[in-house]
Amino acid sequence: MTYWYDGPLAAFDTETTGVDVETDRIVSAALVVQDAPGMRPRVSRWLVNPGVPVPAGATAVHGLTEDHLQRNGRWPAPVMYEIAEVLAEQAAAGRPLVVMNAPFDLTLLDRELRRHRASSLDRWFDASPLRVLDPRVLDKHLDRYRKGRRTLTDLCAHYGVTLEGAHDAAEDALAALEVVRALGRRFATRLERLSPAELHTLQTGWHAAQARGLQAWFARSGTEEEVDQAWPLRPELPAAA
């Protein structure tokens, strides 16, 4: 029997102008599809001219300058439509979608669709629901007492996955996909009987519990930051940009 972590998977990642899902913009994105472990992945890439300034701090992370994006990037409206279409194709094909820290990337995509297409991400999944596998949520639930950070770089080191060119959307997506495969094999006795649809539902609760724990820690440390419990997509705010 082939379990889901050894079967077809897709992975999605973005690079952005910043970390605020309501106001920041996507500057690059990638979808990686792999039919089985060890097989050569199929990669789709998008480069976007966001139409807004690209802060130096963001460029320092992903290396994409405002000038480069203006010269080589496409306008957001057709790109966001294409991305939503290919994600819907993955759902229709029954491929789970790996997204590291899904509420960030998927919410950003949703806001870009609302901004440029007067639409929402949900509408692309009316016929075939999206099944998301979030390595951050899975790892925090399955190995909750492990100390240390859980960035993609940290997870790659922990699970023995090579990450070349961190903060390149395609490289990050492929690394997240490989982390999920490794995580699935390491925790096979707890995961192999669960379908991606069941895992999607379970992660909703796991993420909410993790968010409540982080919120409690912030409260104890005197930090006023709010932690959103929604997963894999945050609801639209009335004042969203």
Side-chain angles (χ1 to χ4, degrees):
M1 177 184 293
T2 299
Y3 296 110
W4 59 263
Y5 47 82
D6 284 328
L9 292 176
F12 176 67
D13 189 71
T14 66
E15 298 299 330
T16 68
T17 60
V19 297
D20 188 330
V21 296
E22 302 298 339
T23 59
D24 280 306
R25 312 297 174 92
I26 293 172
V27 296
S28 71
L31 179 78
V32 174
V33 179
Q34 188 184 51
D35 293 326
M39 291 190 65
R40 185 170 183 171
R42 303 186 296 278
V43 181
S44 300
R45 301 173 183 264
W46 295 269
L47 192 66
V48 186
N49 178 358
V52 299
V54 179
T59 296
V61 172
H62 49 59
L64 298 171
T65 66
E66 187 172 334
D67 179 68
H68 178 76
L69 293 169
Q70 288 177 348
R71 291 174 179 272
N72 301 286
R74 297 168 57 203
W75 287 113
V79 171
M80 301 311 151
Y81 181 87
E82 289 174 15
I83 293 173
E85 283 282 290
V86 298
L87 295 188
E89 290 171 6
Q90 305 314 306
R95 291 190 197 95
L97 183 69
V98 175
V99 189
M100 174 72 184
N101 191 16
F104 180 77
D105 293 84
L106 296 184
T107 302
L108 261 168
L109 177 57
D110 175 79
R111 301 313 190 252
E112 290 279 50
L113 287 166
R114 293 175 186 273
R115 185 178 292 120
H116 297 290
R117 304 292 308 193
S119 183
S120 67
L121 184 58
D122 284 341
R123 72 169 287 270
W124 265 268
F125 304 105
D126 289 338
S128 301
L130 190 64
R131 307 303 188 194
V132 176
L133 299 171
D134 188 332
R136 187 167 180 261
V137 174
L138 291 169
D139 176 71
K140 288 181 74 174
H141 177 77
L142 295 164
D143 199 1
R144 68 183 67 184
Y145 300 114
R146 189 177 81 250
K147 302 294 184 182
R149 287 154 42 92
R150 300 180 193 246
T151 66
L152 179 59
T153 300
D154 298 317
L155 295 186
C156 286
H158 182 71
Y159 288 100
V161 171
T162 300
L163 174 57
E164 298 179 357
H167 299 296
D168 171 89
E171 294 293 342
D172 285 356
L174 179 59
L177 185 151
E178 295 291 356
V179 165
V180 165
R181 291 202 189 280
L183 187 152
R185 289 189 289 270
R186 182 170 299 187
F187 296 99
T189 56
R190 299 167 64 182
L191 295 176
E192 62 188 14
R193 297 183 184 278
L194 296 170
S195 69
E198 290 169 326
L199 271 174
H200 181 102
T201 300
L202 286 169
Q203 285 170 100
T204 302
W206 295 345
H207 178 271
Q210 292 162 10
R212 289 193 297 269
L214 182 58
Q215 190 73 73
W217 186 85
F218 281 156
R220 291 194 299 271
S221 62
T223 302
E224 297 182 357
E225 183 176 346
E226 291 292 327
V227 184
D228 200 313
Q229 296 184 25
W231 183 95
L233 181 65
R234 297 177 188 172
E236 184 189 18
L237 297 177

